[in-house]
Amino acid sequence: MDRFADARAGARTYDLDGLRERVLTERGGQVDESIPQLAAADPDLCAIALVLAEGTVRASAQAEVAVSVQSAVKPFLFALALLDTGGAALERVGIEPTGESFDAIKLEAGTGRPPNPMVNAGALLTASLVHGADVAARGERIVAGLSAFAGQDLRVDEDVARSEHLLGDRNHALAHLMRAEGTLEVSADDAVAVYARACAVLVDARALAVMGATLACAGRNPLSGEQVVPASVARDVVSVMATCGVYDGSGRWMRSVGVAGKSSVSGGIVLSAPGVLGAAVISPPLDEQGTSVRGRAACEALSADLGLHVFASHSA
Ligand code: GLU
């Protein structure tokens, strides 16, 4: 029996603009100020998109407004690293939640590996494992891989990439720490440069939802039909998103939303509900854990209204 048939039917007619209007009344949170381009974000931006497993795309107003993907890129970097290393990336990065913030200067005790691919240390490492002879080649392969997930040609915001590279002091610190532990093979500066480019890829809610849907469809893009990564990779990525995707807010997220999600400092959230849909919300004001305030509210509502919570019993 397909317990998510009702969810898919509900998603086909869900009033996304009504949900957008409702969450827009939420005025809490602060726009990230780590780089000038993020500090200049429009706090009133709010966009929601859904992509169903059969390929139907549903989008609210503003679903074509692009922001830099930031940490919502991390599940996809992990996927590309697993693909390019034939799974060996799992020996190079842990998969345990940290209970700490996204940029904590901390590696796994005993191994010196990053704790998981959803925090900055882990994403610096997974980005370094994507194939490419140098920074430029690795950056190009990452953009091509992300474009395959999105089913459209994505591009890098060069100003954001430069700012991330120049101003990411904690990322430089993490890369040097991994060098000192012997867990990062490329130079610290190369690692930060590639990760900064990946964070600076522009996505709108629609593109981000397709990316989430590709993970939800066992690695096959439901719009283009391309098998971007093997089903086993998609399963591994969604599992780690579910446990680590919202940093030190991951437990609360799993209880209240119950769908694997990844937050980002640009206010994007990507959701992946296997076999059902991918979704994205973009709204810049963030809570203390770096999660979009309206994004969380929209994801909670979508989960409750469509019955997406993976641990909710539907048999009662
Ligand atoms: N570019 C940000 C950083 O590495 C991403 C953090 C996030 O989106 O949570 O500092």
Side-chain angles (χ1 to χ4, degrees):
M1 195 183 82
D2 181 356
R3 66 173 281 221
F4 287 120
D6 288 350
R8 285 197 298 272
R12 277 181 215 116
T13 55
Y14 195 87
D15 180 8
L16 288 179
D17 280 309
L19 174 60
R20 176 176 176 274
E21 292 298 325
R22 282 205 306 285
V23 298
L24 261 174
T25 59
E26 173 64 68
R27 310 306 303 175
Q30 297 289 329
V31 168
D32 180 78
E33 292 184 337
S34 60
I35 58 170
Q37 293 83 357
L38 288 175
D42 173 9
D44 293 325
L45 168 62
C46 185
I48 310 169
L50 302 180
V51 177
L52 276 79
E54 83 253 7
T56 306
V57 179
R58 309 272 334 280
S60 75
Q62 294 192 301
E64 272 90 45
V65 178
V67 299
S68 53
V69 63
Q70 299 295 337
S71 283
V73 79
K74 289 169 175 166
F76 306 97
L77 291 176
F78 183 35
L80 295 173
L82 286 169
L83 180 70
D84 279 4
T85 60
L90 277 169
E91 286 147 35
R92 304 282 305 276
V93 58
I95 54 168
E96 299 302 335
T98 61
E100 298 198 48
S101 67
F102 68 98
D103 58 357
I105 310 287
K106 207 162 169 190
L107 300 176
E108 197 176 66
T111 66
R113 304 185 307 177
N116 69 62
M118 302 297 148
V119 293
N120 284 16
L124 284 158
L125 188 89
T126 55
S128 82
L129 296 177
V130 175
H131 284 169
D134 53 23
V135 168
R138 218 172 311 124
E140 267 171 41
R141 173 147 174 81
I142 287 171
V143 175
L146 299 176
S147 299
F149 271 107
Q152 61 176 269
D153 285 336
L154 300 178
R155 67 179 184 85
V156 172
D157 182 322
E158 297 295 341
D159 289 336
V160 171
R162 238 184 322 273
S163 295
E164 294 280 346
H165 189 185
L166 284 174
L167 302 174
D169 290 328
R170 295 181 73 83
N171 291 332
H172 287 275
L174 281 165
H176 282 287
L177 193 58
M178 288 191 283
R179 288 287 303 171
E181 292 289 343
T183 44
L184 179 69
E185 282 168 6
V186 305
S187 80
D189 194 62
D190 281 6
V192 178
V194 172
Y195 170 68
R197 276 192 89 65
C199 287
V201 168
L202 292 169
V203 289
D204 56 23
R206 188 184 182 284
L208 196 54
V210 180
M211 294 169 80
T214 300
L215 287 177
C217 293
R220 184 174 171 276
N221 184 314
L223 300 191
S224 70
E226 182 180 350
Q227 188 73 44
V228 181
V229 290
S232 58
V233 167
R235 191 203 65 175
D236 283 350
V237 172
V238 177
S239 304
V240 178
M241 267 170 89
T243 50
C244 308
V246 190
Y247 309 127
D248 44 339
S250 296
R252 187 161 69 100
W253 179 269
M254 194 34 75
R255 179 194 159 270
S256 64
V257 179
V259 181
K262 182 73 207 78
S263 58
S264 82
V265 289
S266 51
I269 297 179
V270 58
L271 282 187
S272 188
V276 189
L277 53 78
V281 185
I282 296 180
S283 187
L286 309 176
D287 67 16
E288 319 72 59
Q289 274 128 2
T291 308
S292 166
V293 172
R294 294 192 193 104
R296 165 185 282 283
C299 290
E300 287 180 358
L302 277 174
S303 176
D305 295 347
L306 297 176
L308 295 176
H309 198 302
V310 286
F311 299 118
S313 168
H314 294 257
S315 59

